[in-house]
Amino acid sequence: MKGINLENLNDEGVESLPSKERRQFLQFCLSISGVFLGGSILSLTSANNAQGALHSGKVPVVEFPYSPHYTMVIRQNHCIDCERCLEACRSTNNVPAHGYRTNILERSIPIAQGQRERAFMPILCNHCNHPPCVRVCPTQATYKDKTNGIVQMNPDKCIGCKTCMAACPYNARYFKEEDRTIDKCNFCFDTKLKESGGKITACAAACPADVRIFGDLTDPESDAYKLIHAPGNVLWVLRPETDTLPNVFYMDT
Amino acid sequence: MTFYQKATALPSTSMNRVLIFVVLALISGIGLSFGIHSMLVGHDHTFGTTREVPWGILISPYVFFACLSTGLCIVSSLGQVFGISTFRPIVPRTVFLALITMATGLMCITLELENPWRVGFYALLSPHQFSNIWWKTTIYSLYLIFMVLNFMSLTLKMEKRAKVFAIIAFVAVTMGNLNMNSDMELLGARGFWSENYMPLYFLSLSTLTGCAAILLFSWIGKIFSGQIPETKDDTALKATGKLFIVLLLAILYFTGVKIMGGFFPQFSKNPEAMSLLVQGDFALNFWIGEVGLAVLFPLALIVVTKGENSNILALAGASCLIGVFVLFYDLVIVGQLIPHYSQYNVVDLPKYYSYSPSLHEIMITTGAIFFFLAAFILGEMLFKKIYDS
């Protein structure tokens, strides 16, 4: 939408807008954002009604396939790049110096002519509902955990073809030469998550600014659930054009 | 002709044949020993591949030899399966070439794997039915077995049985070829090659390389055995030459589509990669290798000589094979060089990732090529009578 068109419109104010109309507008916005989140979250919003019209037949998901359905919400503007999450990940999951399971990218976002805003964007495996890495693996060495949706690795089956690395749109995998297998984030499934009874990952626990909010999409008491459902919160996923339906969401609050 | 005259003027032909074979096998052994070394110490220490560019040059000879084998199988099927009598004289040599090219391709991919010993177990015990790689590897392995049976039946003069094996191999390799394309296309998440024309392009390229290899290696085979390459009477090679021209024109069309995609983003599904290929760092590879050596030079040679001269046909075939090898290198590498987060204004993110093959990768590739050449020479020594019959 061009700014010039907006300028030509008369400001009618919101005072005269009936609350029903406001609610409908909010509902519509949530529907739209739900669609662009990638589909897996559609049932959380009022998007079910809008699927037929807006989703163009693209993988409509009406309920969560996993329970618990682990997710992570990244509050991007809270991140100060202290890298404690990276250190916690390394020490908890025995990540060698030459690789990483999670990283922080520095962004320089253009906000106006000649002006840019600095932001730090943590990245990790998105545990996609349609993971291309799982699709290409010839021996099921990497697979989608049927219980919790985590994209897991079975190191013993890895033949080292690295096709999953080539297929991952998020650069979330590396070859761990020490174990002769692909290594990746598994939400600390066998380490911190196990210790905490499924409550938190090492990176989320180490973050001093509450950037990484780990949780369960099926648990209304989970912080991640609350953030995703809070009206007015705008969330997005990385590289939505790849249709991978990620379970890591980003927001600015 | 000078090479031919020198070769036939050598005092002991049989000794020279053995000597050539030994030299080729030795070079192959040296090259492949780098592969064994890489397998032992790990590819991180010996390969030029990285986290961002996990597939290196070794994928190229795999794709090249697998497609070449496909093309050879298709051309041999013209005589063996479809019963076109013109192509029948070249069937035995073509089947043998198809067999050794697939063996070379599978050897390349084996050396490209970090843990190839796990393939035997987990491809059988834990197969993934939705993985194109699993299907492709399985189909190509079965194809290899059927081609061996086909060639054995040909040597035993069991023509009917050979034809059955040839039909199965033909169906298998065509399916394998389409899987090869799907394999690449699936990686669309990284701007790989998911253009609509790709399946037909792969099949056309495969048949083109098959024709090129027949023209070149039939000529070398005749030189090797001291015969004079015929220029007019060899109808099978002349027919292959005609098919070669048609396929060159088809590939010329596809190359034109690639050029359009490289200059005009609206014509491509992966404009960044296409631009890098056509007018970026890979432009030299593209214009000299893919356009010049693979298509225009062979086409010009054949047009000038009207496709009558088998020496020129062999030269055109050699040029085309080199060009297509470059094409497959570009195909594998260029798509990986587009950074994952290029649209997120990431500080210090390069415009393109970089990749250069390491000494080990180059030596393994060289070893694989010489393995194929040594196997070809061995075939010329062992199966000359079958070829001539």
Side-chain angles (χ1 to χ4, degrees), chain B residues 126-325:
Chain B
S126 179
H128 187 201
Q129 72 271 30
F130 295 119
S131 165
N132 288 88
I133 296 183
W134 185 84
W135 279 105
K136 188 179 63 183
T137 313
T138 308
I139 288 170
Y140 279 154
S141 303
L142 290 172
Y143 159 79
L144 188 60
I145 293 168
F146 282 113
M147 282 309 260
V148 170
L149 293 171
N150 181 8
F151 188 72
M152 282 170 64
S153 304
L154 282 174
T155 54
L156 298 171
K157 308 280 182 197
M158 294 152 61
E159 299 240 335
K160 280 186 181 172
R161 190 171 292 179
K163 188 176 176 178
V164 172
F165 291 133
I167 291 169
I168 299 169
F170 173 71
V171 173
V173 84
T174 312
M175 286 165 62
N177 196 260
L178 293 174
N179 258 292
M180 176 81 87
N181 166 62
S182 303
D183 189 15
M184 306 289 277
E185 188 183 332
L186 265 179
L187 308 178
R190 299 194 59 187
F192 258 80
W193 311 97
S194 55
E195 308 286 354
N196 292 330
Y197 62 83
M198 285 302 265
L200 195 58
Y201 184 50
F202 256 73
L203 215 54
S204 309
L205 264 178
S206 301
T207 319
L208 177 80
T209 50
C211 291
I214 291 166
L215 294 173
L216 176 63
F217 290 103
S218 296
W219 181 83
I220 294 176
K222 285 181 179 176
I223 295 283
F224 192 73
S225 60
Q227 296 173 4
I228 298 171
E230 294 165 11
T231 52
K232 288 180 182 175
D233 301 332
D234 203 332
T235 50
L237 289 180
K238 278 170 74 177
T240 309
K242 282 174 186 165
L243 185 59
F244 186 54
I245 295 170
V246 173
L247 289 161
L248 280 172
L249 291 171
I251 297 301
L252 186 63
Y253 166 76
F254 288 121
T255 310
V257 175
K258 283 171 97 170
I259 292 170
M260 292 274 281
F263 284 115
F264 307 104
Q266 63 269 33
F267 290 113
S268 174
K269 283 186 182 174
N270 43 77
E272 298 98 339
M274 277 297 187
S275 173
L276 176 63
L277 176 67
V278 175
Q279 48 179 329
D281 291 348
F282 282 71
L284 209 63
N285 279 15
F286 179 75
W287 292 103
I288 294 179
E290 296 191 32
V291 179
L293 290 174
V295 184
L296 290 183
F297 185 57
L299 205 57
L301 283 177
I302 294 174
V303 168
V304 168
T305 57
K306 295 176 184 174
E308 297 286 331
N309 188 324
S310 61
N311 297 329
I312 296 296
L313 280 174
L315 181 62
S319 168
C320 180
L321 287 175
I322 295 167
V324 173
F325 189 89

Side-chain angles (χ1 to χ4, degrees), chain A residues 106 135 137 139-140 158 166 239, chain B residues 126-128 130 190 344 347:
Chain A
E106 183 183 344
R135 171 75 166 77
C137 181
T139 56
Q140 302 188 68
C158 180
R239 304 198 63 186
Chain B
S126 179
H128 187 201
F130 295 119
R190 299 194 59 187
Y344 288 93
V347 177

Side-chain angles (χ1 to χ4, degrees), chain B residues 118-130:
Chain B
R118 288 180 184 163
V119 177
F121 296 110
Y122 293 109
L124 293 173
L125 298 177
S126 179
H128 187 201
Q129 72 271 30
F130 295 119

